[in-house]
Amino acid sequence: DAGVTQSPTHLIKTRGQHVTLRCSPISGHKSVSWYQQVLGQGPQFIFQYYEKEERGRGNFPDRFSARQFPNYSSELNVNALLLGDSALYLCASLRGTGNTGELFFGEGSRLTVL
Amino acid sequence: GQQLNQSPQSMFIQEGEDVSMNCTSSSIFNTWLWYKQDPGEGPVLLIALYKAGELTSNGRLTAQFGITRKDSFLNISASIPSDVGIYFCAGLFSGGGADGLTFGKGTHLIIQP
C-alpha cells in the first residue's frame, strides 16, 4: 500500500505569489493534517481535516487555508507568500476517528520563497 | 502557547553506547509521542504513550510518560549506525477538539565510528 503522497516535492516562488500543495492520505485514512517545518525546528501544526471538515487550526494567519475532498485528499493554499513561508510542508494522515496523535507523514513539499 | 523543551540539542556518541533524551513542558499533555526524522523524509512514529507513568518499549527503544504529564524521556540502548537522525518529542492535548501535535525542536543524534 502507498504511504502518504505529496506534490510537488520542491518548488520555488517569489514574494506575493500564492502556492497550492497537494496530499493524498494512506488508503482508508479519513483524516489529514498539515504541518510547517522550518529548517532546524520541529513541525508546527497548521490544520487538521476529517471527513472534509476542519477539526483543528494552529496559530497561522488567514493567508493559509486548506480543504479536503470527498476522496480524502487535501490541498494547502498559501496566499501572498512571504520569505518566512519558506519551509518543508508536511502532510500526515491519521488512522481511525479518534485523535491519537499517531500520524503517518509524507516526505513533504519543500517551498522556497525568493 | 504550549512549548516543549527538548534536550540535548545534539549528541555525539560511539556505536554501541546507550542514548537518553528528554522533553519537558510547561503544560500538561494527555499523550506523548516520539518521532524520528531522516534527511529528506517525514517524521516516523517510534513510540506513543497514553497514560501518566506509562513505560513502553519498542525493540531497543524505551520511553516513559512522566507522572506529572509534563515530561517524557526516550532511551536507546546499544546504538547502531541506522539510529542516526533527528528525534522529536511531541505532545497532544485533546481538549474536546482536534488539536494538533506540539513538537520539540529535536535531538540530533550523531554516531561516531
Side-chain angles (χ1 to χ4, degrees):
Chain A
D1 277 346
V4 175
T5 56
Q6 293 187 242
S7 64
T9 54
H10 295 81
L11 70 166
I12 299 174
K13 294 283 188 178
T14 56
R15 278 179 296 176
Q17 286 188 311
H18 78 273
V19 67
T20 298
L21 307 176
R22 297 178 175 82
C23 171
S24 291
I26 292 171
S27 177
H29 289 193
K30 299 179 180 180
S31 176
V32 167
S33 299
W34 287 95
Y35 285 78
Q36 180 196 64
Q37 187 176 23
V38 172
L39 199 62
Q41 303 287 320
Q44 259 200 298
F45 173 64
I46 312 175
F47 287 110
Q48 184 181 30
Y49 276 78
Y50 177 75
E51 292 277 14
K52 297 177 290 179
E53 292 195 2
E54 182 183 304
R55 294 185 76 186
R57 183 184 187 117
N59 189 22
F60 279 81
D62 291 344
R63 299 184 296 109
F64 289 76
S65 63
R67 53 180 177 166
Q68 187 177 29
F69 300 100
N71 66 353
Y72 304 113
S73 68
S74 177
E75 279 183 357
L76 176 70
N77 293 285
V78 187
N79 292 326
L81 285 167
L82 304 173
L83 295 179
D85 295 331
S86 295
L88 180 69
Y89 288 85
L90 294 162
C91 174
S93 71
L94 182 68
R95 180 173 45 201
T97 57
N99 192 15
T100 62
E102 296 184 19
L103 300 178
F104 295 82
F105 284 90
E107 294 186 349
S109 294
R110 184 161 296 283
L111 170 66
T112 301
V113 182
L114 302 176
Chain B
Q2 297 166 326
Q3 285 190 325
L4 295 186
N5 299 307
Q6 188 171 348
S7 64
Q9 254 187 326
S10 57
M11 301 184 74
F12 295 79
I13 63 164
Q14 304 278 347
E15 185 178 347
E17 286 185 17
D18 296 343
V19 170
S20 185
M21 60 190 79
N22 68 79
C23 214
T24 59
S25 169
S26 56
S27 307
I28 62 171
F29 290 103
N30 52 25
T31 303
W32 280 94
L33 307 108
W34 287 90
Y35 285 83
K36 179 181 181 236
Q37 187 172 25
D38 292 329
E41 312 259 336
V44 173
L45 179 65
L46 300 174
I47 290 182
L49 302 151
Y50 297 104
K51 279 175 56 175
E54 180 181 355
L55 184 71
T56 297
S57 292
N58 177 9
R60 294 178 295 106
L61 276 61
T62 302
Q64 182 155 33
F65 190 144
I67 199 75
T68 64
R69 295 168 64 191
K70 292 184 178 181
D71 62 307
S72 177
F73 72 73
L74 174 71
N75 289 338
I76 305 172
S77 63
S79 58
I80 59 177
S82 61
D83 291 335
V84 165
I86 304 176
Y87 291 79
F88 291 100
C89 61
L92 177 67
F93 183 81
S94 290
D99 298 328
L101 296 180
T102 300
F103 282 84
K105 292 186 177 180
T107 293
H108 196 168
L109 180 61
I110 298 157
I111 298 180
Q112 297 169 321

